[in-house]
Amino acid sequence: MLFSDLKLNASLLKAIHDEGYTTPTPVQEKAIPSILEGRDMLAGAQTGTGKTAGFTLPILELLSQKPHNKARPILRVLILTPTRELAAQVQESVKAYGKYLPYKSAVIFGGVSINPQIQMLRSGIDILVATPGRLLDHVSQGTIDLKHVETLVLDEADRMLDMGFIKDIRRVISLLPTKRQNLLFSATYSDEIKKLCQSILKNPVIVEVARRNTSSELVNQRVIMVDCKRKTALLAKLIQENKWEQLLVFTRTKHHANKVSEYLAKINISSAAIHGNKSQGARTKALADFKNGSVKVLVATDIAARGLDIDQLPHVINLELPNIAEDYVHRIGRTGRAGNNGEAISLVCVDEHEYLAGIEKLINRKFKREIIEGFEPNPDIKAEPIQQGRGSKPQGQPRRRENAPREYVEKRRNR
């Protein structure tokens, strides 16, 4: 099938051609016709499958089919995303595919001044990409009108729920017209996602292009056992010996991300850290430098596990395993995207055996434990007991984030 077979107008096909695409991905092939029919949709698609274009293209087509005869644009499409990075990238997609159409789009998120956003909204827009909290800030100030919204998109809905946005999402939904099209995209299907779907989707089309809670089959996944205190040195050895030129490294905490980035810089491996304590400008610059090759290693916390759209990223390194098994799937989804092969390596110490077991159970796969000569784990080091704190999971289960700091708790400030 070609894009020209999907009943898209000439302006969209021209924009698609400009982007270098001729054949839709599986999620696009399945989603676009149903969205054009006006159906609600639940799409299970991992990152890198082309899902953003899968909803952007038919939404632009529908706007073209039902133009409004008003001098000033009115908000007809609302796209909610969990993070600033993802919001910015979705907006880039809307602009790229809609560049030959007369529709105005905008993106709003926290961490930056609200005043320019107010001026932009006052001029009128057709499509708005937003994070939930900043959208509600505008609602409370009366600077946005949601009563004409025809299509609502919840992109990476599972991440929004993980970040505690469910109340914000429900409040936004309560402000929208009852009659509208709802599109929900999620990489995983938790009980909370099912509950949300039941409350907002009406007779939805189900589109799934990846098995539930599975990692990409295009990603070569490896586990290397090593002592915790030697992980960073092993990381440096792997980078230097393999001559890696672009890799994304995940840590659990912001402080550790900074330390790892500083260590690599000292041994002349260009790196940058990206996490919730960084300003929006610093995060944008770090990502841009990583994409253009001036920074070789991007060290990130899980705030970057979603929303980073990096073409042909060859390597992802889990310097620390995530506390939540599903986040492993999101992390390694940064590589092996859009049909490209990738590699994900997890450096695992004795204190992370339970997290590893949780990941293996989730993706139904047992990893071979590799050992690198010169970095053999010390058998005398014993695992530290998992601390039982308030609201913690029982012993033997992966814990929820202990450092749910600004990236999650202070979502009002960081959205």
Side-chain angles (χ1 to χ4, degrees), residues 5 7 33 35 97 115 122-123 127 144 147 151 168 171 192 222 238 240 246 250 256 288 291 321 371 374 384 404 410:
D5 299 321
K7 299 180 181 179
I35 295 174
Y97 292 119
N115 292 324
R122 282 176 178 165
S123 67
I127 304 171
I144 194 166
K147 65 176 179 286
T151 303
D168 288 351
R171 187 179 169 204
E192 291 83 1
R222 299 170 56 195
L238 292 171
Q240 292 167 335
Q246 189 182 45
F250 281 104
H256 196 195
K291 286 183 175 182
L321 290 181
I371 293 176
E384 293 289 335
E410 293 184 19

Side-chain angles (χ1 to χ4, degrees), residues 134-178:
R134 179 49 65 97
L135 176 66
L136 288 175
D137 287 344
H138 283 281
V139 169
S140 66
Q141 295 192 36
T143 55
I144 194 166
D145 182 2
L146 300 177
K147 65 176 179 286
H148 298 290
V149 170
E150 300 167 0
T151 303
L152 169 68
V153 180
L154 299 181
D155 192 16
E156 304 209 346
D158 48 346
R159 174 57 59 184
M160 283 195 274
L161 268 57
D162 284 347
M163 293 175 68
F165 282 124
I166 184 61
K167 289 184 179 179
D168 288 351
I169 291 171
R170 293 196 182 280
R171 187 179 169 204
V172 170
I173 289 172
S174 71
L175 299 170
L176 299 176
T178 304

Side-chain angles (χ1 to χ4, degrees), residues 223-242:
V223 166
I224 300 175
M225 309 306 294
V226 62
D227 293 336
C228 288
K229 292 183 178 179
R230 305 181 72 192
K231 284 187 176 186
T232 308
L234 177 55
L235 171 67
K237 172 185 170 70
L238 292 171
I239 294 171
Q240 292 167 335
E241 289 192 352
N242 292 286

Side-chain angles (χ1 to χ4, degrees), residues 276-342:
N277 275 5
K278 296 283 186 179
S279 69
Q280 184 60 38
R283 287 160 67 171
T284 301
K285 183 179 186 303
L287 182 56
D289 289 344
F290 184 60
K291 286 183 175 182
N292 66 31
S294 59
V295 163
K296 182 181 295 187
V297 182
L298 189 64
V299 188
T301 55
D302 279 306
I303 195 167
R306 301 289 192 94
L308 290 185
D309 187 9
I310 305 163
D311 291 338
Q312 301 181 2
L313 175 65
H315 306 287
V316 167
I317 307 295
N318 290 305
L319 195 65
E320 296 172 300
L321 290 181
N323 296 3
I324 301 172
E326 287 87 349
D327 284 348
Y328 172 83
V329 177
H330 304 322
R331 286 182 178 189
I332 72 167
R334 298 302 96 207
T335 187
R337 296 166 67 90
N340 297 302
N341 293 319

Side-chain angles (χ1 to χ4, degrees), residues 172-240:
V172 170
I173 289 172
S174 71
L175 299 170
L176 299 176
T178 304
K179 186 178 179 181
R180 64 177 187 274
Q181 184 176 23
N182 303 289
L183 309 174
L184 190 150
F185 289 79
S186 179
T188 59
Y189 292 154
S190 64
D191 291 339
E192 291 83 1
I193 286 292
K194 292 178 182 176
K195 193 173 180 180
L196 180 62
C197 292
Q198 291 170 357
S199 66
I200 68 170
L201 300 181
K202 300 174 183 177
N203 190 27
V205 174
I206 309 297
V207 171
E208 192 161 10
V209 295
R211 292 193 302 275
R212 176 177 173 174
N213 288 342
T214 59
S215 46
S216 173
E217 294 179 357
L218 292 173
V219 179
N220 177 34
Q221 300 170 65
R222 299 170 56 195
V223 166
I224 300 175
M225 309 306 294
V226 62
D227 293 336
C228 288
K229 292 183 178 179
R230 305 181 72 192
K231 284 187 176 186
T232 308
L234 177 55
L235 171 67
K237 172 185 170 70
L238 292 171
I239 294 171
Q240 292 167 335

Side-chain angles (χ1 to χ4, degrees), residues 67-98:
H68 273 235
N69 298 320
K70 292 181 180 291
R72 180 179 176 275
I74 59 174
L75 179 58
R76 298 166 59 191
V77 177
L78 174 62
I79 304 170
L80 292 182
T81 72
T83 66
R84 314 170 195 173
E85 284 78 15
L86 182 56
Q89 287 164 14
V90 171
Q91 164 67 348
E92 288 177 7
S93 179
V94 172
K95 289 174 65 177
Y97 292 119

